[in-house]
Amino acid sequence: MDIKNLITFIQVAERSSFTKAAKALGYSQSTVSFQIKQLESELNSQLFERINHTVALTEKGREVLKYAHQIHRLTLELGENMRDEKDLRGRIRLATADSLCESLLKEGFPDFRTRHPGISLKIIAAGTEEMFRLLNHNEADAILTLDSHIYDTEYRIIREEQINMHFVAHPDCPLAGRPGLAIPDLLPYPFILTEKGMSYRRLLDERLAGLSLELKPVLEIGSVRLLCSLVEQEAGLSFLPDYVTEGEVQSGRLVRLHVKDFELAIWKQLLCRRDKWISPQLESVLQYCVEREFSQLTRTPG
């Protein structure tokens, strides 16, 4: 059995398309069709149903897919274990929240490149739902989320940590230092927030909706650095993770507003699929993420 045919089968199955698989593999569509026919002939089974230009796995195809993943993973593992780990080469795809990109790459990435010059890293900024789509279609090797706590037996939690969140304001804001703040006290002020539906903004809106309240920001933008800068310019209030605002708060350029009875459970989580082989290349990137994004007191769950 030709391993190339199994790889082509995996690509077609994950993309539900001969055309997309051919593009991903750099083959012609006729080559992909021929390889699938070869595999079906060898196994004496139909692996795909082709109806009205749609492609779907048959029951036998779903069974074969499990074995194909195992064979592909073992083949990769064999090849990588024969290499010198000091000369790791390959491309790792990491999907993450846009607000984590700066802390992930700032300062530490040059050192990573020095240690692993043969590894190229592709960072994909995406919302949580899109991250899992990428992970489940093998378009991302791992994801770094900032959202509500996620647990599913299909995913391996490499590391996780709860994150504190606060409303922030300019030090001259009338709300600064005011005790006993409640959410209604904040609503008359202009808000500048991340995009609606994105990670902690979505959780904020859901929590407010539970109180029959709604925020209508004057500006929505993905850059947390720009949000901090605008709050410093007294453009409005914002709601941001503490690690984003720590420098500004320490220097006195921003203040955190302590709102009673308003806490959100936000989690930073580094995950990959449980059936994903952790190659030495991927292991090096995961370790880099742990070093950059998680406190040393946080343990890796079993």
Side-chain angles (χ1 to χ4, degrees), residues 139-171:
E139 295 175 35
D141 300 298
I143 61 175
L144 182 60
T145 68
L146 190 63
D147 211 309
S148 54
H149 190 267
I150 297 160
Y151 177 76
D152 189 307
T153 55
E154 290 188 8
Y155 307 109
R156 178 184 301 160
I157 301 174
I158 307 299
R159 191 64 64 94
E160 62 181 11
E161 186 173 57
Q162 192 164 7
I163 301 298
N164 291 325
M165 304 277 302
H166 282 90
F167 291 98
V168 290
H170 187 274

Side-chain angles (χ1 to χ4, degrees), residues 3-13 21 25 27 31-33 35-36 48:
I3 186 66
K4 290 183 180 178
N5 291 351
L6 285 175
I7 293 172
T8 297
F9 168 67
I10 291 171
Q11 291 292 328
V12 175
L25 293 166
Y27 297 160
T31 298
V32 169
S33 297
Q35 289 178 327
I36 296 301
F48 293 103

